[in-house]
Every structure is written in C-alpha cells, then in structure tokens.
Amino acid sequence: EPALVLEGIEKAYNPGRRNEVRVLNGAAARIEAGEVVGLLAPSGAGKSTLLHIAGLLETADAGEIRIAGQAASGGGDRLRTRLRRDGIGFIYQFHHLLPEFSARENVALPQMAAGQGAAAARARADDLLGRVGLQDRLDHRPGELSGGEQQRVAFCRALANAPKLLLADEPTGNLDPDTSDRVFAAMLEVVRETGLGALIATHNHELAQRMDRVLRLDHGRLVAA
Ligand code: ADP
Ligand code: ADP
C-alpha cells in the first residue's frame, strides 16, 4: 500500500471573508513505499499547509488522506493522533530537540511514549544514530553537537517509531551547503534502506535532483516539476 495518498485536498484560510486565502485547491498525490518525493514551492505557495495536512496536524476543508493504507479523513482526534504517532515521522528545518536530554534519549523518548520498553528504545536509538555516523555522540546533548549532527539526531528521532511516511520541511535548510549535502546524503541512504515513503520540501534544486521525482504546488494543486 502507498505510504501516502492525498485526494482532492481543499484548504482555505478565512473562508468566505474578504481576506480569504485559497491555499489548496484539489491537491492530490500518491507516494509509494520506498519512494522519495521532493516538494519544490516558492514561499507562500502552501508548502507548510500541505505538509501539516498530510501529517494530520491540521485539518483540510475537503479531501481524502490515507497513511499506509489507513484512511485518516473522517476519523476523530484519537485516530489522527494514533496514525500520526505510529505512522508518520517529522523533521523540520530547526531540530526542536530536547536540550536537557542526550542524543540517545531524544531518540528513545518517543518510543517510550509509544509504549516501548526503555532498554529496547535505547538499543534502537543507538542503532539509528550509528547508521548516520553518530555512534560517538550518543551521550552528547544537543548543545554539544554541531548543526549537522543535531539535524541527524532529529532525523533519527523522526524514524524512532518506524513510521511508514517521513515528512520533511527543509530538513537541511539551516546548514551550510557542504554540511547540508552530507547530512542529506546520510538521510537519503537510511530512507532508501528502510523503504519508507518520504515527502521532502526544499528550495534547493540540487537536493531535489537526488530524489525519485519532484512535485511543485501550482495554484493549489500538486503537479510534476
Ligand atoms: P509556505 O509554507 O509555502 O510558505 P504556507 O502554507 O505557510 O506557505 O501558507 C500559504 C498561504 O496561506 C500564505 O499566503 C499564508 O499567508 C496563508 N496562511 C497560512 N496560514 C494562515 C493562517 N493561519 N491564517 C491565514 N492565512 C494563512
Ligand atoms: P562545527 O564544526 O559544526 O562548528 P562544533 O565546533 O560545534 O562544530 O563542534 C565540533 C565537534 O565537537 C562536534 O562534533 C561536536 O559534537 C563536538 N562538541 C562540540 N561542543 C561540545 C561539548 N560541549 N562537549 C562535547 N563535544 C562537543
């Protein structure tokens, strides 16, 4: 089953008012398991709105959303919360790691919140962090890590609960070009090994070229870039 299906997604802010903004107008997409899809959109085109709706953080006015085969539309908050926790990993431009906790704890905590035991959660954290080259940074706190290392920890946290879908908003956007390149390559390798579907928003055309295909937002619809 596809990692993500969006059909006929509509979203307007301030509907019916003088300051109405129609952001999404029949947006549709299908991301297969194992597929890495880029999202190129100029600022203001609705990229964040689309990612928030796909991530079940915001509701659409109309349309269908399926995460790994499960319909989210029409379900209540509890269904959406469960699908989000078990099915979706998020990574943002800024890492939002917990500053008082180590890299390992930052990756283990979401697993424990989902019911995993502490020892298994730590073991999975160590494995994920090792796969992005952070085996010597397990006990470092975010403030003791470089920017690229922090984003790699955030990436591992996004994968902590083995999601079927990864949603990323400019995941290397605050890094210098060299670091961005290296961190992005590490992320792509793990995504491809893991076989999850990914939708990755970026302004960077070079990064976009490394993805399987690229979509852009055009008047509220998703089209091939
Ligand atoms: P992007 O991430 O592509 O920059 P957004 O999805 O944040 O775009 O926003 C798309 C459009 O919707 C913008 O014109 C923005 O001003 C408008 N918008 C976003 N959020 C709101 C909101 N809460 N209320 C009103 N307008 C909004
Ligand atoms: P950058 O080269 O990206 O500016 P930093 O100078 O911040 O990186 O850090 C260089 C290396 O030293 C990083 O790998 C980081 O993990 C480590 N490091 C930075 N600060 C600390 C600290 N307070 N304690 C332990 N290790 C640290």
Side-chain angles (χ1 to χ4, degrees), residues 173-201:
N174 70 332
L175 303 175
D176 67 74
D178 271 4
T179 308
S180 163
D181 229 58
R182 281 187 288 112
V183 170
F184 193 77
M187 287 182 189
L188 264 191
E189 192 177 321
V190 175
V191 165
R192 293 215 156 99
E193 277 169 20
T194 311
L196 77 171
L199 180 61
I200 305 180

PDB file of all heavy atoms in Angstrom, residues 173-201:
ATOM      1  N   GLY A 173      17.886  22.935   5.696  1.00  0.00           N
ATOM      2  CA  GLY A 173      17.830  24.325   5.234  1.00  0.00           C
ATOM      3  C   GLY A 173      18.639  25.318   6.049  1.00  0.00           C
ATOM      4  O   GLY A 173      18.961  26.400   5.557  1.00  0.00           O
ATOM      5  N   ASN A 174      18.974  24.973   7.290  1.00  0.00           N
ATOM      6  CA  ASN A 174      19.739  25.934   8.095  1.00  0.00           C
ATOM      7  C   ASN A 174      21.222  25.571   8.161  1.00  0.00           C
ATOM      8  O   ASN A 174      21.959  26.131   8.968  1.00  0.00           O
ATOM      9  CB  ASN A 174      19.144  26.040   9.508  1.00  0.00           C
ATOM     10  CG  ASN A 174      19.393  24.782  10.315  1.00  0.00           C
ATOM     11  OD1 ASN A 174      19.508  23.702   9.732  1.00  0.00           O
ATOM     12  ND2 ASN A 174      19.499  24.905  11.615  1.00  0.00           N
ATOM     13  N   LEU A 175      21.649  24.621   7.302  1.00  0.00           N
ATOM     14  CA  LEU A 175      23.050  24.190   7.343  1.00  0.00           C
ATOM     15  C   LEU A 175      23.824  24.796   6.180  1.00  0.00           C
ATOM     16  O   LEU A 175      23.251  25.120   5.142  1.00  0.00           O
ATOM     17  CB  LEU A 175      23.111  22.664   7.253  1.00  0.00           C
ATOM     18  CG  LEU A 175      22.321  21.907   8.327  1.00  0.00           C
ATOM     19  CD1 LEU A 175      22.352  20.407   8.045  1.00  0.00           C
ATOM     20  CD2 LEU A 175      22.872  22.201   9.722  1.00  0.00           C
ATOM     21  N   ASP A 176      25.129  24.902   6.330  1.00  0.00           N
ATOM     22  CA  ASP A 176      25.942  25.396   5.217  1.00  0.00           C
ATOM     23  C   ASP A 176      25.917  24.356   4.097  1.00  0.00           C
ATOM     24  O   ASP A 176      25.615  23.185   4.338  1.00  0.00           O
ATOM     25  CB  ASP A 176      27.368  25.705   5.685  1.00  0.00           C
ATOM     26  CG  ASP A 176      28.107  24.453   6.089  1.00  0.00           C
ATOM     27  OD1 ASP A 176      28.507  23.680   5.198  1.00  0.00           O
ATOM     28  OD2 ASP A 176      28.262  24.222   7.301  1.00  0.00           O
ATOM     29  N   PRO A 177      26.198  24.750   2.849  1.00  0.00           N
ATOM     30  CA  PRO A 177      25.998  23.854   1.700  1.00  0.00           C
ATOM     31  C   PRO A 177      26.711  22.512   1.824  1.00  0.00           C
ATOM     32  O   PRO A 177      26.113  21.470   1.523  1.00  0.00           O
ATOM     33  CB  PRO A 177      26.541  24.667   0.521  1.00  0.00           C
ATOM     34  CG  PRO A 177      26.378  26.093   0.928  1.00  0.00           C
ATOM     35  CD  PRO A 177      26.573  26.109   2.423  1.00  0.00           C
ATOM     36  N   ASP A 178      27.950  22.497   2.287  1.00  0.00           N
ATOM     37  CA  ASP A 178      28.682  21.234   2.401  1.00  0.00           C
ATOM     38  C   ASP A 178      28.029  20.306   3.413  1.00  0.00           C
ATOM     39  O   ASP A 178      27.842  19.110   3.159  1.00  0.00           O
ATOM     40  CB  ASP A 178      30.121  21.495   2.859  1.00  0.00           C
ATOM     41  CG  ASP A 178      31.028  21.737   1.669  1.00  0.00           C
ATOM     42  OD1 ASP A 178      30.506  21.779   0.533  1.00  0.00           O
ATOM     43  OD2 ASP A 178      32.251  21.882   1.894  1.00  0.00           O
ATOM     44  N   THR A 179      27.715  20.876   4.583  1.00  0.00           N
ATOM     45  CA  THR A 179      27.099  20.067   5.640  1.00  0.00           C
ATOM     46  C   THR A 179      25.736  19.585   5.184  1.00  0.00           C
ATOM     47  O   THR A 179      25.363  18.424   5.382  1.00  0.00           O
ATOM     48  CB  THR A 179      26.970  20.895   6.935  1.00  0.00           C
ATOM     49  OG1 THR A 179      28.243  21.447   7.235  1.00  0.00           O
ATOM     50  CG2 THR A 179      26.508  20.049   8.090  1.00  0.00           C
ATOM     51  N   SER A 180      24.976  20.474   4.559  1.00  0.00           N
ATOM     52  CA  SER A 180      23.650  20.128   4.052  1.00  0.00           C
ATOM     53  C   SER A 180      23.756  18.931   3.119  1.00  0.00           C
ATOM     54  O   SER A 180      22.988  17.964   3.219  1.00  0.00           O
ATOM     55  CB  SER A 180      23.056  21.335   3.331  1.00  0.00           C
ATOM     56  OG  SER A 180      21.982  20.956   2.516  1.00  0.00           O
ATOM     57  N   ASP A 181      24.724  18.981   2.237  1.00  0.00           N
ATOM     58  CA  ASP A 181      24.941  17.905   1.287  1.00  0.00           C
ATOM     59  C   ASP A 181      25.203  16.569   1.965  1.00  0.00           C
ATOM     60  O   ASP A 181      24.622  15.551   1.610  1.00  0.00           O
ATOM     61  CB  ASP A 181      26.186  18.283   0.467  1.00  0.00           C
ATOM     62  CG  ASP A 181      25.927  18.146  -0.982  1.00  0.00           C
ATOM     63  OD1 ASP A 181      24.987  18.805  -1.472  1.00  0.00           O
ATOM     64  OD2 ASP A 181      26.664  17.358  -1.613  1.00  0.00           O
ATOM     65  N   ARG A 182      26.082  16.604   2.960  1.00  0.00           N
ATOM     66  CA  ARG A 182      26.466  15.363   3.639  1.00  0.00           C
ATOM     67  C   ARG A 182      25.320  14.819   4.473  1.00  0.00           C
ATOM     68  O   ARG A 182      25.053  13.615   4.486  1.00  0.00           O
ATOM     69  CB  ARG A 182      27.710  15.586   4.504  1.00  0.00           C
ATOM     70  CG  ARG A 182      29.007  15.590   3.663  1.00  0.00           C
ATOM     71  CD  ARG A 182      30.245  15.630   4.506  1.00  0.00           C
ATOM     72  NE  ARG A 182      30.420  16.935   5.130  1.00  0.00           N
ATOM     73  CZ  ARG A 182      30.323  17.181   6.420  1.00  0.00           C
ATOM     74  NH1 ARG A 182      30.071  16.195   7.266  1.00  0.00           N
ATOM     75  NH2 ARG A 182      30.493  18.401   6.892  1.00  0.00           N
ATOM     76  N   VAL A 183      24.637  15.728   5.211  1.00  0.00           N
ATOM     77  CA  VAL A 183      23.537  15.279   6.066  1.00  0.00           C
ATOM     78  C   VAL A 183      22.411  14.722   5.199  1.00  0.00           C
ATOM     79  O   VAL A 183      21.830  13.673   5.498  1.00  0.00           O
ATOM     80  CB  VAL A 183      23.039  16.439   6.958  1.00  0.00           C
ATOM     81  CG1 VAL A 183      21.743  16.072   7.669  1.00  0.00           C
ATOM     82  CG2 VAL A 183      24.121  16.810   7.972  1.00  0.00           C
ATOM     83  N   PHE A 184      22.155  15.406   4.072  1.00  0.00           N
ATOM     84  CA  PHE A 184      21.088  14.946   3.187  1.00  0.00           C
ATOM     85  C   PHE A 184      21.412  13.567   2.616  1.00  0.00           C
ATOM     86  O   PHE A 184      20.543  12.694   2.543  1.00  0.00           O
ATOM     87  CB  PHE A 184      20.862  15.956   2.066  1.00  0.00           C
ATOM     88  CG  PHE A 184      19.607  15.708   1.312  1.00  0.00           C
ATOM     89  CD1 PHE A 184      18.384  16.078   1.853  1.00  0.00           C
ATOM     90  CD2 PHE A 184      19.631  15.072   0.091  1.00  0.00           C
ATOM     91  CE1 PHE A 184      17.206  15.823   1.180  1.00  0.00           C
ATOM     92  CE2 PHE A 184      18.453  14.812  -0.587  1.00  0.00           C
ATOM     93  CZ  PHE A 184      17.246  15.187  -0.052  1.00  0.00           C
ATOM     94  N   ALA A 185      22.665  13.366   2.221  1.00  0.00           N
ATOM     95  CA  ALA A 185      23.065  12.067   1.675  1.00  0.00           C
ATOM     96  C   ALA A 185      22.879  10.964   2.718  1.00  0.00           C
ATOM     97  O   ALA A 185      22.379   9.868   2.402  1.00  0.00           O
ATOM     98  CB  ALA A 185      24.521  12.125   1.207  1.00  0.00           C
ATOM     99  N   ALA A 186      23.241  11.250   3.968  1.00  0.00           N
ATOM    100  CA  ALA A 186      23.083  10.254   5.040  1.00  0.00           C
ATOM    101  C   ALA A 186      21.603   9.927   5.240  1.00  0.00           C
ATOM    102  O   ALA A 186      21.220   8.758   5.392  1.00  0.00           O
ATOM    103  CB  ALA A 186      23.705  10.770   6.335  1.00  0.00           C
ATOM    104  N   MET A 187      20.767  10.968   5.222  1.00  0.00           N
ATOM    105  CA  MET A 187      19.332  10.745   5.412  1.00  0.00           C
ATOM    106  C   MET A 187      18.759   9.891   4.276  1.00  0.00           C
ATOM    107  O   MET A 187      18.016   8.933   4.515  1.00  0.00           O
ATOM    108  CB  MET A 187      18.587  12.083   5.412  1.00  0.00           C
ATOM    109  CG  MET A 187      18.785  12.913   6.655  1.00  0.00           C
ATOM    110  SD  MET A 187      17.776  14.433   6.494  1.00  0.00           S
ATOM    111  CE  MET A 187      18.374  15.342   7.908  1.00  0.00           C
ATOM    112  N   LEU A 188      19.131  10.245   3.031  1.00  0.00           N
ATOM    113  CA  LEU A 188      18.581   9.520   1.872  1.00  0.00           C
ATOM    114  C   LEU A 188      18.956   8.048   1.916  1.00  0.00           C
ATOM    115  O   LEU A 188      18.141   7.179   1.598  1.00  0.00           O
ATOM    116  CB  LEU A 188      19.136  10.119   0.575  1.00  0.00           C
ATOM    117  CG  LEU A 188      18.311  11.154  -0.153  1.00  0.00           C
ATOM    118  CD1 LEU A 188      18.904  11.405  -1.527  1.00  0.00           C
ATOM    119  CD2 LEU A 188      16.857  10.726  -0.279  1.00  0.00           C
ATOM    120  N   GLU A 189      20.197   7.785   2.325  1.00  0.00           N
ATOM    121  CA  GLU A 189      20.646   6.396   2.366  1.00  0.00           C
ATOM    122  C   GLU A 189      19.789   5.585   3.339  1.00  0.00           C
ATOM    123  O   GLU A 189      19.343   4.481   3.015  1.00  0.00           O
ATOM    124  CB  GLU A 189      22.124   6.364   2.775  1.00  0.00           C
ATOM    125  CG  GLU A 189      22.766   5.020   2.572  1.00  0.00           C
ATOM    126  CD  GLU A 189      24.254   5.060   2.920  1.00  0.00           C
ATOM    127  OE1 GLU A 189      24.923   6.076   2.592  1.00  0.00           O
ATOM    128  OE2 GLU A 189      24.722   4.095   3.532  1.00  0.00           O
ATOM    129  N   VAL A 190      19.552   6.160   4.518  1.00  0.00           N
ATOM    130  CA  VAL A 190      18.760   5.431   5.514  1.00  0.00           C
ATOM    131  C   VAL A 190      17.301   5.303   5.049  1.00  0.00           C
ATOM    132  O   VAL A 190      16.683   4.242   5.193  1.00  0.00           O
ATOM    133  CB  VAL A 190      18.844   6.117   6.893  1.00  0.00           C
ATOM    134  CG1 VAL A 190      17.929   5.429   7.898  1.00  0.00           C
ATOM    135  CG2 VAL A 190      20.278   6.113   7.397  1.00  0.00           C
ATOM    136  N   VAL A 191      16.760   6.361   4.463  1.00  0.00           N
ATOM    137  CA  VAL A 191      15.377   6.297   3.963  1.00  0.00           C
ATOM    138  C   VAL A 191      15.266   5.179   2.931  1.00  0.00           C
ATOM    139  O   VAL A 191      14.342   4.363   2.969  1.00  0.00           O
ATOM    140  CB  VAL A 191      14.940   7.652   3.363  1.00  0.00           C
ATOM    141  CG1 VAL A 191      13.679   7.500   2.533  1.00  0.00           C
ATOM    142  CG2 VAL A 191      14.721   8.676   4.471  1.00  0.00           C
ATOM    143  N   ARG A 192      16.226   5.110   2.020  1.00  0.00           N
ATOM    144  CA  ARG A 192      16.144   4.109   0.947  1.00  0.00           C
ATOM    145  C   ARG A 192      16.318   2.706   1.513  1.00  0.00           C
ATOM    146  O   ARG A 192      15.633   1.768   1.082  1.00  0.00           O
ATOM    147  CB  ARG A 192      17.183   4.411  -0.135  1.00  0.00           C
ATOM    148  CG  ARG A 192      16.857   5.714  -0.866  1.00  0.00           C
ATOM    149  CD  ARG A 192      17.224   5.668  -2.354  1.00  0.00           C
ATOM    150  NE  ARG A 192      16.442   6.604  -3.117  1.00  0.00           N
ATOM    151  CZ  ARG A 192      16.873   7.822  -3.509  1.00  0.00           C
ATOM    152  NH1 ARG A 192      18.091   8.229  -3.214  1.00  0.00           N
ATOM    153  NH2 ARG A 192      16.067   8.613  -4.190  1.00  0.00           N
ATOM    154  N   GLU A 193      17.214   2.532   2.493  1.00  0.00           N
ATOM    155  CA  GLU A 193      17.373   1.220   3.135  1.00  0.00           C
ATOM    156  C   GLU A 193      16.092   0.801   3.843  1.00  0.00           C
ATOM    157  O   GLU A 193      15.732  -0.367   3.860  1.00  0.00           O
ATOM    158  CB  GLU A 193      18.442   1.289   4.230  1.00  0.00           C
ATOM    159  CG  GLU A 193      19.875   1.145   3.767  1.00  0.00           C
ATOM    160  CD  GLU A 193      20.825   1.509   4.909  1.00  0.00           C
ATOM    161  OE1 GLU A 193      20.398   1.500   6.094  1.00  0.00           O
ATOM    162  OE2 GLU A 193      21.974   1.815   4.595  1.00  0.00           O
ATOM    163  N   THR A 194      15.445   1.781   4.476  1.00  0.00           N
ATOM    164  CA  THR A 194      14.304   1.482   5.331  1.00  0.00           C
ATOM    165  C   THR A 194      13.055   1.223   4.500  1.00  0.00           C
ATOM    166  O   THR A 194      12.135   0.536   4.954  1.00  0.00           O
ATOM    167  CB  THR A 194      14.067   2.664   6.289  1.00  0.00           C
ATOM    168  OG1 THR A 194      15.318   3.000   6.893  1.00  0.00           O
ATOM    169  CG2 THR A 194      13.068   2.325   7.371  1.00  0.00           C
ATOM    170  N   GLY A 195      12.997   1.817   3.313  1.00  0.00           N
ATOM    171  CA  GLY A 195      11.854   1.582   2.441  1.00  0.00           C
ATOM    172  C   GLY A 195      10.610   2.356   2.810  1.00  0.00           C
ATOM    173  O   GLY A 195       9.508   1.990   2.413  1.00  0.00           O
ATOM    174  N   LEU A 196      10.772   3.443   3.561  1.00  0.00           N
ATOM    175  CA  LEU A 196       9.581   4.240   3.840  1.00  0.00           C
ATOM    176  C   LEU A 196       9.395   5.276   2.725  1.00  0.00           C
ATOM    177  O   LEU A 196      10.323   5.560   1.967  1.00  0.00           O
ATOM    178  CB  LEU A 196       9.635   4.893   5.229  1.00  0.00           C
ATOM    179  CG  LEU A 196      10.476   6.108   5.501  1.00  0.00           C
ATOM    180  CD1 LEU A 196      10.163   6.643   6.880  1.00  0.00           C
ATOM    181  CD2 LEU A 196      11.941   5.786   5.412  1.00  0.00           C
ATOM    182  N   GLY A 197       8.177   5.790   2.603  1.00  0.00           N
ATOM    183  CA  GLY A 197       7.901   6.848   1.641  1.00  0.00           C
ATOM    184  C   GLY A 197       8.243   8.187   2.269  1.00  0.00           C
ATOM    185  O   GLY A 197       8.041   8.374   3.467  1.00  0.00           O
ATOM    186  N   ALA A 198       8.784   9.104   1.462  1.00  0.00           N
ATOM    187  CA  ALA A 198       9.175  10.402   2.016  1.00  0.00           C
ATOM    188  C   ALA A 198       8.715  11.534   1.112  1.00  0.00           C
ATOM    189  O   ALA A 198       8.792  11.433  -0.112  1.00  0.00           O
ATOM    190  CB  ALA A 198      10.695  10.461   2.191  1.00  0.00           C
ATOM    191  N   LEU A 199       8.236  12.597   1.739  1.00  0.00           N
ATOM    192  CA  LEU A 199       7.915  13.833   1.036  1.00  0.00           C
ATOM    193  C   LEU A 199       8.775  14.916   1.675  1.00  0.00           C
ATOM    194  O   LEU A 199       8.647  15.203   2.867  1.00  0.00           O
ATOM    195  CB  LEU A 199       6.429  14.175   1.184  1.00  0.00           C
ATOM    196  CG  LEU A 199       5.956  15.452   0.488  1.00  0.00           C
ATOM    197  CD1 LEU A 199       6.173  15.382  -1.018  1.00  0.00           C
ATOM    198  CD2 LEU A 199       4.484  15.723   0.792  1.00  0.00           C
ATOM    199  N   ILE A 200       9.679  15.478   0.872  1.00  0.00           N
ATOM    200  CA  ILE A 200      10.717  16.349   1.411  1.00  0.00           C
ATOM    201  C   ILE A 200      10.655  17.706   0.720  1.00  0.00           C
ATOM    202  O   ILE A 200      10.978  17.818  -0.468  1.00  0.00           O
ATOM    203  CB  ILE A 200      12.119  15.719   1.214  1.00  0.00           C
ATOM    204  CG1 ILE A 200      12.152  14.318   1.835  1.00  0.00           C
ATOM    205  CG2 ILE A 200      13.194  16.618   1.815  1.00  0.00           C
ATOM    206  CD1 ILE A 200      13.493  13.605   1.701  1.00  0.00           C
ATOM    207  N   ALA A 201      10.217  18.716   1.460  1.00  0.00           N
ATOM    208  CA  ALA A 201      10.164  20.063   0.895  1.00  0.00           C
ATOM    209  C   ALA A 201      11.549  20.689   0.943  1.00  0.00           C
ATOM    210  O   ALA A 201      12.263  20.562   1.941  1.00  0.00           O
ATOM    211  CB  ALA A 201       9.186  20.920   1.691  1.00  0.00           C
TER     212      ALA A 201
END
